[in-house]
Every structure is written in C-alpha cells, then in structure tokens.
Amino acid sequence: MDAVRTRVAIVGAGPAGLLLSHLLARAGLDSIILDSRSREEIESTIRAGILEQGTVELLDEVSGSRARTVGSRHDGIELRFDGTGHRIDFAGLVGRGVWLYPQHEALKDLIAARLADGQDIRFGVTAHEAVDAESVSPAVLATTAEGGELVVRADFVVGADGSRSVVRQAVCGSHGGYFREYPFAWFGILCEAPPSADELIYSNSPDGFALISQRTPEVQRMYFQCEPDADAQAPSDAQIWDTLQRRVPGATLHEGAIFQRDVLRFRSFVARALTRGRMAIVGDAAHTVPPTGAKGMNLAVADVVLLAEALEALLVGGDASLLESFDERASARIWKAQHFSWWMTSMLHTAPDASDFDRRRQLGELRSVVESQAGSAYLAEAYTGWPL
Ligand code: PHB
C-alpha cells in the first residue's frame, strides 16, 4: 500500500477538479487529483458546449484557454415555435454573450496547464472511498491502474467526481438529495455538415423539441427529444434526419454523415449537503441539471470559485467562516440554475401526456418570453450567467 500526503485531495479531473487545483495553486496550496479515466478518455469525451462569459474569463485567466481562438462567441440564440424563429439578443439585452467551446477542449487546456506547472494529476486511479471527514486529516482510498492500493491523506478532500460520486456518500451518507426525473431524454448526434444557422436554434414543435447546436465550421451537434429508454443505434440516419427536419419547422437543416450518436438522460438533482467537516462536493457530484439551459459545466465552475476562496481562508488563513457558509452561498446559485434549466426544459419540450390546453399554454408562454423585453432579458441574463 502506498500513502501520500497533500494539502487538498481532489477526486475527479473534470472541469471542477482541474479548475479547483489551479485556483488552489495560485493560493499556494498543493493538491493531488485522482481520476479513474485515462487522460485520452477525458480529453475525448463529448460533453457540453456552451460556456458563460464569466466562465471563459476565468479559464483565460488560469489556463490560457483557447476558447476565444478555437471557440466562437455567440451573442444570441433563436427560440423557434409555431414555425417561426425569434432571436433572443443577449448582447442587446444584457450586454453579455456565451462561447461555444466544447468541454473536452477546455479540459485539454486545463490539463496541459496543470501538468506544465508540475502539478500532480493521477490518471487511471480509481477512488473507492473517502474517510475521516470529521477529522483534520481526511483521506481518499483508491486503487491504481496496476491494482495497488493508494491512500491520499490531506487537510481537505473535495469530490469533483461526477454524478456517481464516491465522495458524496461520505458527505451526505444516506440522506441523498432532491431529485426530479423527466419523461424524455435527448438523442444527440455529431455530423459532418456546415452550420445550419449562425446561432443555436432551440425549437419547440408539435412533435417535440430539437436543438441545433454546433462544434466547428465542419462538424455540427444536434439533439432531439426522445423516449428516456431510446436505443441510440436503433434509428437509421435517414430517420434521424427526418425527425430533425420535422422538429425545426420553417427551416432547412444542412444534412451530412452522422459519426456519433448518444442518448442523454434528463435529471435534476441537488445533494442535501455540500460539505461535511473537511470534505466538500462540487459540480455534478453535488448537482445535475438537464442540458437545456447549458448550465452544467458553468455551475461547476461557480461552485469551485466559492470553494477555492473558502479553502484558502481555511488552510492559509485559519478562518473557517467561508467554508461554513459555502453550502448556503453555493446553493443560492445552484437553485437558480435548477429553476432556469427546468424552465427552459418545460417550456420547450412536449410532455408525453400534454393536452391541447397544455400545448396552447406553452405557446402562450413562449410568446410571453419573446414579445416581452423583461421576459427575454431574464432568459438572456440566466443563459449568459449571473456574476461569479
Ligand atoms: C451542446 O452544444 O452540446 C449544447 C448546447 C446548448 C445546450 C445544450 C448542449 O443547451
């Protein structure tokens, strides 16, 4: 058995864990990051694509992010319903925008900058338990790629280990959290085609929702609402294009070879507690949002900003007050993002049991948003992100 010691043990080399380790290093705090996946796997897994302006500013500051060169700025989105597109002008409404920059590209930047700084990231190391939360020396018990046991003792343990977090178990025990399931999922594709529009299209149609997103000038990401247990391999390419075209009435999508398909589950979740003693959970370990509001990664970043300040105060300054209020302060934003993600989801998707009343009410809701400056400004404010 190997034993190592660090100031902060971080489980998970996703956006939350990597960013936290950057911010801690700036405060003079060493950390070790453990992740069960290989670097290649982390850097190639397709996840979210939209970064809030504040997220991009922070990534620029810590990791020389390529978001502004490889990614692209979007100053609005289109809400499409009843066969007509309506632009929500983020720049005009709130003077802010978002960046389309795939998460795995942001991860490449963060990992490269972390390793260049000589920081300790251990890939292929699977954490199986976090222990001693109530002591001043909590630890993570892990298994290395070679099958050896590793104990990482630290002054603080952070779970940034995603929705199947093992640290969450140590923080929340059997208390679990607040949970909501949705009666649909997203069928996602990547295809080789030029963009179908300048900006993302969020389309409500009588058949259900579709989102026309992008990746690069040559590769596009698109989604359509499907059954929660849909099989990603079942439909033919022609059926997928037929569904997508029907779901975006009044527009014609550029079609191309589909080279990846997946089904994304829809869940809302918030853990009942974010800290216990000298342990905390952040990002997907602490909460899950449905993807409609593009909040997942941005919310992880916001958690980490608050936690990094709290850990600096505790471990450098000996002041526990920011850690004591972390849960309450992080939760305020988490629940706003939960509401926004739920709202975008419910406003745009067709529930399987929707009545004619529900359907007409939904169109009334969409009109209330696009025809009202206040309604559009709320959407723009939430989508581009509240101040960090
Ligand atoms: C994506 O491009 O993957 C994406 C964009 C916007 C969303 C969700 C996903 O709301």
Side-chain angles (χ1 to χ4, degrees), residues 20 39 84 107 158 163 171 175 184 215 274 286 298 304 310 343:
L20 179 64
R39 180 176 179 183
T84 310
L107 289 173
V158 178
S163 55
V171 169
H175 294 304
F184 38 74
R215 282 296 176 266
L274 306 182
N298 297 295
V304 163
W343 175 66

Side-chain angles (χ1 to χ4, degrees), residues 104-127:
H104 66 277
E105 297 293 344
L107 289 173
K108 285 183 199 167
D109 301 339
L110 284 164
I111 290 171
R114 236 27 333 249
L115 295 176
D117 279 356
Q119 288 287 324
D120 194 344
I121 309 179
R122 302 195 184 193
F123 300 104
V125 175
T126 306

Side-chain angles (χ1 to χ4, degrees), residues 275-290:
T275 61
R276 176 174 156 220
R278 287 198 166 207
M279 280 188 200
I281 47 176
V282 290
D284 285 356
H287 42 71
T288 310
V289 288

